[in-house]
Amino acid sequence: MEVRAAGLGMLRVVCLFAVFDAVCLLDSGMLFPRESPSREVKELNGLWDFRADDSTNRNQSFERAWYKKRLAETGPVIDMPVPASYNDITQDAALRDFIGWVWYEREVVVPARWISDEGTRVVLRVGSAHYFSIVWVNGVKVTQHAGGHLPFEVEIGSLIRKDPTTPCRITIAVNNTLNLDTLPPGKIQYMEDRTKYPEGFFVQYIYFDFFNYAGIHRPVLLYTTPKAYVDDITVVTDFLDNAGLVKYKVSVQGAATGTISVTLKDKDGRSVASSSKPSGVLKVEDVNLWWPYLMHENPGYLYSMEVHLMATDGRSTYEDMYTLPVGIRSVAVTSTQFLINDKPFYFHGVNKHEDSDIRGKGFDWSLIVKDFNLLKWMGANSFRTSHYPYAEEILQMCDRHGIVVIDECPGVGIKDIRSFGNASLAHHLDVMDELVRRDKNHPSVVMWSVANEPASEMPPAEFYFETLIKHTKDLDPTRPVTYITDSNYARDKGAPFVDVICVNSYFSWYHDSGHLELIPLQLNNQFENWYGKYKKPIIQSEYGADAVPGLHSDPPVMFTEEYQNIVLQSYHSVFDQKRKQYVIGELIWNFADFMTVQGLTRVVGNKKGVFTRQRQPKRAAFILKERYWRLANETGRLGLPPSNHQCHAVKYPW
Ligand code: BDP
């Protein structure tokens, strides 16, 4: 590792660690469920019974208390896979477009020991369900959650112990209705003109450009911990010369006293640092830093932090073990650069969606691994979780592969002035609490994005974003915060509060359609204006054009693959000038085609992908591949030929 100015490094470490005791407004942690000698996990994925409440008032299921008996006794049920969106599973257009409550139910066999051992906590956890969820166990309501992209959980041990002979019936009702205070916001409108619409006809308006897929999207599971357990771990990392520093804090629930031991192990299982305190700093000599993909020969290096708790409540002793992967790295922003481990980092990556055929937004390992293979194939070093938090398993992949993440909350489509009100802001703050609590320990996450393209020119946006960004920095003082703007630099009200300016633009697409020759002029002005006003580094957080795969024309016309290519290349020529100054990244819109609502500007969904929805490359994917590998060589300091780095298919001239 290179030696750097020791004084400055020390100052940064002191500042970073001084602000470590960040605000945490939630009363419990949200550690990812992992098996350990003291913890078991039982997945509840597979087929669940399913029934939509299509009553006219959409409320009959509650009037008739469907949760009280088996769902099949309330009426006809169908098979529904979990995790998956329900929308594209059947041939029924009404279910595809359904708005309201749907019900999932499943009976679970709980291992006898979990029930008999009173010293075991049994936790039911839902990775995510879109949007409102209510959960019952054997007809008793156990929890509810608002928000479609973050996990929620509840301890159900005492309930299933009441009558160990009854099977454990889990009922989850999920409602995808969006209103002006949800994230993302939406609006229901009843149509009153009886010459056009039947009684009770309504539509859900949304202000975002992706299909509002719904259902149980991520794994549902039961897991155990001992009664006294490791509830949360927070790590903040840095380095000084060749020593890595891991500041950590462990919080425990269920016991007033106990002993903790913390051991940090390297990839080979060797202990490199340890402590017997619930909080402190671990020092790792000759550290292997966590580096992004293509910035180092050995990216994504992870240590394992083993936390061991021994606690007693007077009568019994409890032992808990939890292992957290830890990547040691630093992040900093200057007025012209984004630094990872003190080296300039240039984002050459993509925007994604959780989206695919049939399963919609449902979690799918095959899709995830395919997407990572494509990202690495094209030489992408980063992505933004447009426009909501992705599954934790995806972030774990990013940690392991060194893919850098801008982690975005579901603040997309804040366009109506009423969505800047107190109720909306309060919910937005809650969602940031949940997001930071879930994702704070991922080395791949280098920046928070609190919103996408809000109406940031509206007067209330100033207070809204000042509050939201300050709150996020209080939660996590170690990472920069941004939101994504499409507003004009002169009218944007939130930009003074962000650390990095992220701008979306669609020159020669949504305006000046067909005028490809205007891109360089308009893009150059965009950058000069934003930088001139704010003197902050800029990421082109979206740019692109729709291309229907297989449509060709020369000279190019809109919607052909050639037009998409020229758009990309015209942007690239300007990026190449500005990245030498203050532009610190470029993220294509979009990695793959994705589904949207039906409308005049969408041809079976948004076609701005460089891959099709089935993950086959359009011509643009090869253009990006060539560019990203070249950028990796220039900016990533690899200095190695691409053949060493998975780029086997095409030979390049450098
Ligand atoms: C941007 C939005 C993104 C859209 C994209 C487009 O942030 O969600 O899908 O435009 O229109 O403004 O393709």
Side-chain angles (χ1 to χ4, degrees):
M1 207 184 73
E2 259 176 56
V3 180
R4 63 202 168 130
L8 273 184
M10 176 57 98
L11 181 66
R12 190 192 63 207
V13 171
V14 170
C15 294
L16 188 68
F17 284 179
V19 289
F20 174 74
D21 291 315
V23 188
C24 185
L25 302 173
L26 293 155
D27 53 12
S28 65
M30 190 54 77
L31 290 174
F32 185 78
R34 291 175 195 281
E35 289 181 325
S36 81
S38 60
R39 294 172 175 233
E40 288 164 77
V41 176
K42 183 179 165 74
E43 288 209 346
L44 305 183
N45 300 337
L47 290 187
W48 289 52
D49 279 353
F50 176 92
R51 188 177 174 202
D53 177 355
D54 52 11
S55 58
T56 316
N57 69 358
R58 291 289 193 269
N59 205 33
Q60 205 179 75
S61 48
F62 285 90
E63 289 156 7
R64 300 197 178 162
W66 285 6
Y67 50 87
K68 281 201 173 150
K69 45 188 167 191
R70 285 182 49 238
L71 198 55
E73 289 170 33
T74 69
V77 293
I78 58 172
D79 286 344
M80 190 54 70
V82 170
S85 303
Y86 58 74
N87 309 75
D88 292 344
I89 298 293
T90 73
Q91 298 311 103
D92 182 359
L95 183 59
R96 181 192 62 203
D97 300 329
F98 184 78
I99 311 288
W101 290 103
V102 299
W103 292 68
Y104 288 78
E105 184 210 74
R106 162 156 184 186
E107 279 188 1
V108 181
V109 178
V110 182
R113 199 195 50 74
W114 293 12
I115 299 178
S116 60
D117 180 0
E118 299 261 346
T120 294
R121 290 172 67 244
V122 180
V123 183
L124 170 63
R125 173 176 168 123
V126 179
S128 77
H130 189 70
Y131 180 86
F132 292 101
S133 307
I134 307 180
V135 184
W136 295 262
V137 172
N138 294 336
V140 178
K141 181 175 165 184
V142 289
T143 193
Q144 62 180 35
H145 183 256
H149 310 89
L150 288 164
F152 53 95
E153 61 180 35
V154 57
E155 212 270 305
I156 60 166
S158 53
L159 200 66
I160 53 179
R161 275 178 202 121
K162 268 192 188 147
D163 180 3
T165 56
T166 5
C168 170
R169 180 166 50 86
I170 299 173
T171 312
I172 306 180
V174 184
N175 193 328
N176 60 348
T177 309
L178 300 175
N179 62 44
L180 290 170
D181 298 328
T182 57
L183 275 190
K187 197 170 71 181
I188 295 286
Q189 179 147 346
Y190 281 85
M191 301 307 208
E192 307 299 349
D193 182 347
R194 290 286 156 267
T195 64
K196 291 186 179 161
Y197 307 101
E199 177 87 34
F201 187 92
F202 67 91
V203 285
Q204 164 90 76
Y205 286 119
I206 51 176
Y207 311 100
F208 52 87
D209 181 37
F210 53 91
F211 195 87
N212 191 32
Y213 278 113
I216 302 179
H217 283 156
R218 297 187 190 146
V220 181
L221 42 90
L222 292 176
Y223 73 91
T224 63
T225 74
K227 217 166 137 191
Y229 61 100
V230 174
D231 178 53
D232 200 10
I233 306 171
T234 306
V235 296
V236 170
T237 66
D238 206 332
F239 63 99
L240 199 54
D241 300 330
N242 66 345
L245 302 168
V246 179
K247 177 144 187 180
Y248 71 93
K249 184 157 86 183
V250 177
S251 50
V252 169
Q253 294 270 4
T257 56
T259 55
I260 283 180
S261 69
V262 175
T263 311
L264 197 68
K265 292 189 172 167
D266 67 13
K267 272 211 156 140
D268 301 321
R270 277 189 298 259
S271 167
V272 292
S274 61
S275 162
S276 54
K277 301 214 171 73
S279 61
V281 181
L282 301 172
K283 192 170 174 195
V284 185
E285 299 297 347
D286 294 322
V287 64
N288 279 306
L289 292 178
W290 185 92
W291 287 99
Y293 176 55
L294 299 179
M295 207 170 170
H296 193 268
E297 289 80 354
N298 189 11
Y301 191 96
L302 294 175
Y303 292 87
S304 297
M305 181 188 262
E306 293 182 5
V307 178
H308 187 183
L309 166 74
M310 288 289 281
T312 168
D313 65 0
R315 282 176 304 150
S316 317
T317 302
Y318 303 101
E319 185 174 7
D320 191 19
M321 271 161 270
Y322 188 88
T323 301
L324 180 77
V326 172
I328 302 177
R329 56 106 181 96
S330 69
V331 169
V333 174
T334 72
S335 62
T336 55
Q337 289 180 318
F338 197 96
L339 303 173
I340 295 184
N341 301 336
D342 288 349
K343 297 274 189 294
F345 176 76
Y346 187 77
F347 295 79
H348 44 89
V350 306
N351 291 276
K352 290 183 94 267
H353 264 299
E354 288 182 318
D355 175 272
S356 70
D357 284 338
I358 303 173
R359 47 191 67 59
K361 293 203 175 302
F363 178 90
D364 177 13
W365 271 122
S366 309
L367 181 77
I368 291 171
V369 175
K370 178 73 176 174
D371 282 3
F372 272 79
N373 285 334
L374 291 176
L375 287 171
K376 293 177 85 171
W377 171 85
M378 75 195 288
N381 64 2
S382 52
F383 66 79
R384 168 164 76 109
T385 68
S386 45
H387 292 305
Y388 38 79
Y390 293 177
E392 291 162 275
E393 292 85 343
I394 296 178
L395 296 182
Q396 289 162 7
M397 287 283 281
C398 291
D399 293 343
R400 288 178 40 236
H401 291 272
I403 301 293
V404 168
V405 175
I406 301 173
D407 200 353
E408 186 155 291
C409 93
V412 53
I414 306 177
K415 303 284 189 195
D416 188 301
I417 198 155
R418 288 166 290 176
S419 294
F420 286 100
N422 289 340
S424 298
L425 179 57
H427 179 57
H428 208 147
L429 299 177
D430 286 347
V431 172
M432 288 314 300
D433 291 348
E434 288 182 34
L435 176 62
V436 173
R437 174 178 67 167
R438 191 194 73 162
D439 292 349
K440 61 189 172 185
N441 293 326
H442 288 286
S444 56
V445 173
V446 300
M447 182 154 65
W448 305 110
S449 161
V450 297
N452 178 69
E453 296 186 358
S456 54
E457 68 289 349
M458 284 183 179
E462 185 169 349
F463 173 74
Y464 193 95
F465 283 107
E466 183 175 9
T467 311
L468 186 59
I469 291 171
K470 182 177 175 313
H471 180 83
T472 308
K473 289 188 179 194
D474 285 346
L475 288 170
D476 178 7
T478 71
R479 288 179 177 90
V481 183
T482 190
Y483 70 86
I484 315 296
T485 187
D486 64 343
S487 168
N488 184 291
Y489 75 100
R491 289 184 292 134
D492 193 283
K493 299 266 186 288
F497 311 110
V498 302
D499 297 305
V500 172
I501 304 276
C502 287
V503 195
N504 296 348
S505 51
Y506 288 92
F507 304 127
S508 88
W509 192 260
Y510 289 117
H511 53 85
D512 303 307
S513 306
H515 287 284
L516 291 162
E517 74 281 10
L518 297 177
I519 294 176
L521 174 73
Q522 296 185 358
L523 184 57
N524 194 65
N525 284 335
Q526 165 196 284
F527 286 141
E528 289 293 283
N529 288 335
W530 279 99
Y531 191 75
K533 180 150 185 197
Y534 290 106
K535 300 281 183 294
K536 293 179 186 181
I538 304 177
I539 295 177
Q540 181 75 40
S541 41
E542 286 182 27
Y543 71 105
D546 289 74
V548 177
L551 268 194
H552 295 286
S553 89
D554 184 44
V557 296
M558 292 173 76
F559 291 100
T560 63
E561 295 200 32
E562 286 74 15
Y563 195 94
Q564 186 184 38
N565 288 350
I566 304 283
V567 168
L568 266 51
Q569 286 164 332
S570 309
Y571 271 77
H572 296 165
S573 64
V574 180
F575 295 158
D576 279 337
Q577 294 157 30
K578 297 298 175 194
R579 72 186 165 84
K580 304 203 169 77
Q581 301 169 27
Y582 49 76
V583 168
I584 57 164
E586 52 188 86
L587 303 176
I588 187 76
W589 190 263
N590 190 286
F591 172 73
D593 294 345
F594 58 91
M595 195 45 71
T596 63
V597 288
Q598 300 181 55
L600 287 177
T601 58
R602 296 290 174 254
V603 191
V604 196
N606 188 309
K607 291 281 185 284
K608 294 194 185 70
V610 296
F611 295 97
T612 65
R613 201 182 192 208
Q614 296 71 34
R615 275 46 180 186
Q616 296 306 323
K618 301 180 193 171
R619 283 297 311 153
F622 294 95
I623 288 185
L624 278 187
K625 180 185 182 193
E626 176 163 356
R627 175 171 177 77
Y628 284 179
W629 280 96
R630 182 150 27 84
L631 285 171
N633 268 280
E634 281 177 33
T635 67
R637 286 164 190 77
L638 264 184
L640 294 168
S643 57
N644 288 353
H645 292 272
Q646 298 219 346
C647 183
H648 303 299
V650 183
K651 293 278 175 239
Y652 298 113
W654 59 78

